Amino acid sequence: MVYNHVKEKSLKKCIRFAALFIIISAFAFTSKNEVRAQKNNLNDSKYKAACEEAIMTVQPLNSEKKDVVIGDLYNVIDTEGELAGYSLGYYVDDEPYGYAIYSLKNKCISEFVFESGVQNMYVELEEKADELEEIDNDEIISSIVYDGVIDYFLIDDEGNSISTDAIYNNITQDKTGEIVEDEQCDIDAILNSEYNTEVQSSSKKETAGVASSYYGSETNYWGIGCSDNDIFNCVPDYKLTMINQDYYIKNAKKYCCKVSAGTGCLNWMGLLVNESLVDTYNYIWSYCGMSTELNKPAQDDYPAYAYYGLNNYDLARAMNSIFAGKGVGTRAESVYRPAFSKFVDCIWRSTSSESYPAVLSIGGYSYTSGTEVYEGHALIAESYIRKRRADSGYDNYIGVYQNWFGGEGSMSDPQSTFDLIRYFNYDNLMNEENIEVGGVIFNNVSSRNIKESTTTYASGNNIEISCYVPSGTKYVYFPTWTASSNG
């Protein structure tokens, strides 16, 4: 989304976003009208800890032992213009393969994505800015600003900003956005931060953020970065949860991230109302008494729609009503500040229970124009990583689906949704000041979907199929056919 910040010395204005990621590069300048971009030298000793931590953090996901290196690095600043960390870009075989955010405060990776084709977020934000008229791409500062928890934005010299949800959110009606006065954010400090400079677009596209050499190409990080004590788990067929907001806006004419997350979990369990995503979505919305007033205008090929929030307790009540109607013993429970072990219990596939997703909510209060305002987002917890540290402790990462991500394939085929799980350092998240973490977890899960069905052998009239089945399953029936029956 694009926003405009009106700069007034007596009032600091900023935008708060529900989105993801951050990044930035180191540049030098001579004057406002004569700017020269410089390459970051990744072999500089001050980046060593961040680069090594970034490479080693993704090793539990690197089962194919790919040669992962760091190819670019950008600074990360906070809303006061101070250096908060670095954003590092992963590369495999000279191709982008995700990013990691290194926190200087916590001396660890605070979040990362490890996925083919995912670039350093600065590059993607800049490319998106090229498409929009409201932001001056020639005057974009070289920093991405971290606005707390999962919120990030890029800003130009006039105070126009673009947030990360503009990259993956296909909705365009809010391009101009709404100016929000936030006393906790200093726009002047951001624009004048010593950690960013104004870089002409033509120069920046050639050199900004491009490393003079890869970091890690001389070292076998697989050998030193992967521990037998590292733990990684992901729910089977997790893409069944990945229904993005575009689908609900176009088909249900309303959107709430928490309703979307709950519906995704029900789709994974095979417990939809009338076997319909839209009917399930509408049922939860109606059961919770949410308004259907269309407060978002129609634009381009998007209809007018309702946009509202929901608390975890009401989502759990609505889902329990659906479970009862289906005659299953599964129950939803609203939780506040859940321990990491709660999500491990959900996602870990043990011999006695079925692995399943959960809902994670992240939010907090800020003071906007003297009024306390709650802002939050709900995501689907799909995966976790426990990465062993040198001090024998663990860094705990929760893998989530944002539900702003994905392509329109999810409208007809949930499994074709863009495959992207974003990992947060859960301990850092829980230790953030003024942040509320909660969610909805499930007990006694017994889904009706067979997961990961795979043909292991086929020859003549014989076929062998393996699959994971819901906990407690006694019989599995597969359709049979013969050549004479024509299927």
Side-chain angles (χ1 to χ4, degrees), residues 279-348:
D279 286 355
T280 304
Y281 197 87
N282 288 337
Y283 179 91
I284 296 174
W285 194 285
S286 176
Y287 188 94
C288 296
M290 299 173 67
S291 174
T292 56
E293 179 182 356
L294 303 180
N295 55 0
K296 293 290 183 180
Q299 185 170 340
D300 298 334
D301 60 339
Y302 286 89
Y305 67 98
Y307 184 93
Y308 293 95
L310 179 67
N311 62 57
N312 292 323
Y313 176 75
D314 285 337
L315 174 62
R317 287 196 310 113
M319 297 184 77
N320 283 332
S321 175
I322 293 174
F323 294 143
K326 294 285 186 179
V328 298
T330 303
R331 289 295 179 266
E333 174 189 0
S334 173
V335 293
Y336 177 68
R337 293 189 62 81
F340 185 72
S341 59
K342 282 279 189 181
F343 291 106
V344 171
D345 290 342
C346 298
I347 297 167
W348 179 47

Side-chain angles (χ1 to χ4, degrees), residues 197-337:
T197 60
E198 299 152 325
V199 181
Q200 296 298 325
S201 179
S202 59
S203 299
K204 182 164 48 179
K205 288 181 179 178
E206 293 177 3
T207 61
V210 179
S212 55
S213 63
Y214 287 123
Y215 185 95
S217 57
E218 304 297 325
T219 306
N220 176 18
Y221 276 96
W222 173 262
I224 65 174
C226 192
S227 165
D228 291 338
N229 293 313
D230 293 342
I231 302 171
F232 161 70
N233 274 303
C234 187
V235 297
D237 285 355
Y238 62 87
K239 293 181 185 178
L240 287 170
T241 69
M242 292 182 167
I243 317 299
N244 68 19
Q245 68 175 14
D246 289 12
Y247 177 81
Y248 294 118
I249 290 172
K250 289 184 176 180
N251 292 275
K253 308 300 187 293
K254 56 180 73 76
Y255 184 72
C256 169
C257 57
K258 201 159 289 182
V259 177
S260 175
T263 302
C265 289
L266 289 168
N267 187 57
W268 184 91
M269 296 177 190
L271 296 173
L272 297 175
V273 174
N274 300 326
E275 286 68 54
S276 165
L277 288 168
V278 174
D279 286 355
T280 304
Y281 197 87
N282 288 337
Y283 179 91
I284 296 174
W285 194 285
S286 176
Y287 188 94
C288 296
M290 299 173 67
S291 174
T292 56
E293 179 182 356
L294 303 180
N295 55 0
K296 293 290 183 180
Q299 185 170 340
D300 298 334
D301 60 339
Y302 286 89
Y305 67 98
Y307 184 93
Y308 293 95
L310 179 67
N311 62 57
N312 292 323
Y313 176 75
D314 285 337
L315 174 62
R317 287 196 310 113
M319 297 184 77
N320 283 332
S321 175
I322 293 174
F323 294 143
K326 294 285 186 179
V328 298
T330 303
R331 289 295 179 266
E333 174 189 0
S334 173
V335 293
Y336 177 68
R337 293 189 62 81

Side-chain angles (χ1 to χ4, degrees), residues 236-237 349-350 354-355 447 449-454 465-471 473 476 478:
D237 285 355
R349 180 188 297 155
S350 68
E354 184 175 4
S355 168
S447 72
N449 281 332
I450 290 176
K451 306 296 191 306
E452 298 183 0
S453 179
T454 304
I465 298 176
S466 66
C467 62
Y468 289 99
V469 300
S471 177
T473 299
V476 177
F478 289 99

Side-chain angles (χ1 to χ4, degrees), residues 2-190:
V2 172
Y3 297 81
N4 179 264
H5 301 275
V6 179
K7 294 184 290 182
E8 300 176 6
K9 291 184 179 179
S10 61
L11 181 62
K12 301 167 184 177
K13 294 188 177 181
C14 180
I15 200 80
R16 297 188 66 86
F17 302 94
L20 36 159
F21 322 144
I22 85 193
I23 340 189
I24 201 160
S25 68
F27 296 106
F29 67 95
T30 55
S31 69
K32 184 176 180 66
N33 296 319
E34 185 179 359
V35 181
R36 179 172 59 88
Q38 294 181 337
K39 293 182 180 181
N40 288 320
N41 181 5
L42 289 179
N43 292 310
D44 190 315
S45 60
K46 67 181 178 181
Y47 302 132
K48 180 179 179 181
C51 290
E52 291 189 352
E53 189 72 18
I55 293 174
M56 290 189 288
T57 295
V58 298
Q59 295 308 339
L61 296 178
N62 188 14
S63 59
E64 297 178 7
K65 301 185 179 181
K66 297 180 174 71
D67 184 15
V68 182
V69 296
I70 302 301
D72 50 16
L73 180 148
Y74 294 80
N75 291 331
V76 173
I77 61 175
D78 61 22
T79 53
E80 299 298 322
E82 297 298 324
L83 186 66
Y86 307 111
S87 179
L88 307 100
Y90 293 119
Y91 279 77
V92 173
D93 296 331
D94 295 322
E95 297 296 328
Y97 215 92
Y99 73 92
I101 306 302
Y102 182 80
S103 167
L104 286 172
K105 174 184 176 182
N106 297 306
K107 299 294 188 292
C108 68
I109 299 301
S110 60
E111 67 170 271
F112 69 91
V113 169
F114 189 62
E115 185 70 35
S116 176
V118 177
Q119 300 186 81
N120 218 320
M121 189 53 59
Y122 188 96
V123 177
E124 299 198 24
L125 280 170
E126 185 189 31
E127 290 177 352
K128 188 64 179 180
D130 274 337
E131 304 173 11
L132 305 174
E133 298 177 356
E134 293 88 351
I135 187 167
D136 188 348
N137 195 43
D138 291 337
E139 299 295 334
I140 294 175
I141 65 173
S142 63
S143 307
I144 289 184
V145 185
Y146 175 48
D147 198 19
V149 192
I150 62 173
D151 296 343
Y152 312 94
F153 62 92
L154 187 63
I155 192 169
D156 70 11
D157 188 53
E158 297 301 317
N160 300 303
S161 61
I162 181 170
S163 69
T164 49
D165 60 350
I167 295 176
Y168 293 103
N169 178 1
N170 295 324
I171 301 170
T172 59
Q173 63 262 34
D174 283 334
K175 278 184 179 179
T176 56
E178 176 185 357
I179 297 175
V180 179
E181 301 173 0
D182 189 338
E183 291 83 353
Q184 298 175 350
C185 185
D186 191 336
I187 292 300
D188 288 333
I190 291 172

